[in-house]
């Protein structure tokens, strides 16, 4: 009998998670199914309860429900507590609901695969929303020389930096306050979805720097095009998507899938 898993979102039709986890299950021989469920915006808890009552064992959670999942989980991992959000839920054998966030781990693993400078690096993160909050702890765990958060509203970046100041040299401010060069620049804003670019200085990248966009698509984002024109290496967020999924799969099934063929499958399908 197969165990049931799903991803909750609103909307959710675009999600690649069912394809990713089907590939992981086939590769590892795990007996499980995985589906996409569009939960009502005002009743995520009800959607989860219905799924669990029908035999569901765990779920991924995407926008706009990550904070709902955080509030609902009975046991939170330390990284979920830091992020204030949950993207992975699962029931233990006693029926207790656990919550974790795998986004930051997914980003860190993808950066490592691309030989990105992390330890001792000067890192700039653009944006101060939930996507950025979820990745700060794993980035700071690599012990960069400094981590700067820049956001259109400087106060949000400053507040976020203060929340993580005990983990390293973290500072926050507005885009106008950014002064390079940086070894790694991560775009965590949603600007790429609209084809926009945050206002950034020309002298942003150090020699050999990497520009990383959490968004991805068949073509490079506006941010990555801009960065490449200024000499940076560029990587989009497709690998992060696969790596965070692999971490969720490991939490559920206690086996770690090979992400390389799944990355390639998704890239070819873009």
């Amino acid at each position: 009998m197969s165990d049931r898993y799903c991803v909750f979102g609103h909307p959710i039709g675009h999600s690649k998670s069912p394809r990713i986890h089907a590939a992981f299950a086939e590769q590892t021989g795990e007996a499980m199914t995985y589906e996409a469920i569009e939960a009502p915006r005002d009743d995520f808890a009800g959607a989860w309860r219905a799924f669990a009552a029908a035999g569901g064992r765990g779920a991924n959670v995407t926008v706009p429900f990550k904070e709902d999942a955080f509030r609902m989980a009975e046991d939170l991992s330390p990284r979920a507590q830091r992020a204030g959000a949950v993207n992975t839920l699962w029931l233990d054998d006693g029926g207790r609901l656990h919550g974790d966030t795998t986004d930051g781990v997914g980003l860190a693993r993808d950066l490592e695969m691309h030989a990105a400078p992390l330890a001792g690096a000067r890192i700039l993160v653009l944006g101060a929303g939930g996507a950025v909050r979820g990745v700060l702890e794993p980035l700071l765990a690599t012990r960069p020389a400094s981590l700067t958060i820049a956001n259109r509203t400087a106060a949000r970046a400053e507040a976020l930096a203060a929340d993580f100041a005990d983990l390293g040299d973290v500072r926050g401010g507005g885009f106008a306050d950014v002064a390079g060069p940086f070894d790694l620049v991560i775009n965590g804003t949603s600007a790429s979805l609209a084809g926009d670019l945050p206002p950034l200085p020309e002298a942003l990248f150090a020699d050999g720097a990497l520009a990383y966009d959490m968004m991805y698509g068949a073509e490079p984002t506006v941010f990555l095009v801009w960065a490449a024109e200024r000499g940076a290496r560029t990587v989009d967020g497709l690998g992060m998507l696969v790596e965070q999924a692999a971490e969720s799969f490991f939490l559920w099934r206690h086996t770690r899938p090979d992400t390389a063929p799944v990355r390639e499958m998704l890239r070819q399908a873009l």
Side-chain angles (χ1 to χ4, degrees):
M1 187 174 185
S2 295
D3 292 329
R4 289 185 65 196
Y5 297 88
C6 76
V7 57
F8 288 106
H10 190 107
I12 198 60
H14 65 285
S15 176
K16 292 179 171 52
S17 293
R19 191 173 181 188
I20 292 171
H21 285 282
F24 287 163
E26 181 178 7
Q27 179 192 115
T28 58
E30 291 292 310
M32 59 179 283
T33 63
Y34 189 106
E35 61 193 292
I37 297 177
E38 185 165 304
R41 281 186 175 272
D42 60 352
D43 193 21
F44 170 73
W48 162 259
R49 286 193 298 268
F51 179 69
R57 296 294 302 164
N60 285 130
V61 183
T62 188
V63 292
F65 299 123
K66 291 184 181 183
E67 292 181 358
D68 297 88
F70 175 85
R71 290 188 291 268
M72 197 172 66
E74 298 169 274
D75 282 308
L76 291 164
S77 70
R79 59 193 181 194
Q81 290 174 353
R82 274 279 185 182
V86 158
N87 81 334
T88 307
L89 293 168
W90 71 96
L91 293 166
D92 64 22
D93 291 339
R96 193 165 180 82
L97 183 61
H98 296 258
D100 201 349
T101 180
T102 66
D103 289 330
V105 174
L107 173 62
R109 289 207 180 119
D110 193 33
L111 288 168
E112 289 167 7
M113 289 185 177
H114 289 93
L118 291 172
R122 297 160 294 180
I123 300 176
L124 171 64
V125 183
L126 306 174
V132 169
R133 174 176 281 276
V135 304
L136 291 180
E137 184 182 25
L139 285 175
L140 288 164
T142 67
R143 299 192 178 279
S146 64
L147 192 152
T148 301
I149 305 166
N151 189 57
R152 196 171 301 277
T153 305
R156 289 191 66 187
E158 292 164 357
L160 190 54
D163 288 346
F164 287 83
D166 60 310
L167 299 183
D169 181 359
V170 191
R171 62 199 74 171
F175 291 129
D177 303 319
V178 172
F182 295 95
D183 304 299
L184 172 62
V185 180
I186 299 170
N187 183 23
T189 74
S190 58
S192 291
L193 294 175
D196 295 330
L197 183 71
L200 299 170
E202 289 292 319
L204 193 64
F205 302 104
D207 288 344
L210 180 75
Y212 190 101
D213 200 322
M214 290 188 188
M215 303 298 162
Y216 64 89
E219 301 296 331
T221 66
V222 170
F223 169 71
L224 294 182
V225 170
W226 181 87
E229 290 171 347
R230 285 150 186 83
R233 297 186 296 128
T234 61
V235 177
D236 70 14
L238 185 66
M240 175 182 172
L241 173 70
V242 177
E243 294 301 326
Q244 63 82 23
E247 182 70 8
S248 294
F249 190 88
F250 176 77
L251 290 170
W252 296 329
R253 312 304 294 181
H254 310 295
T255 186
R256 196 171 293 283
D258 180 5
T259 57
V262 182
R263 285 163 166 260
E264 182 61 24
M265 173 190 72
L266 292 182
R267 182 68 67 188
Q268 293 298 323
L270 288 178

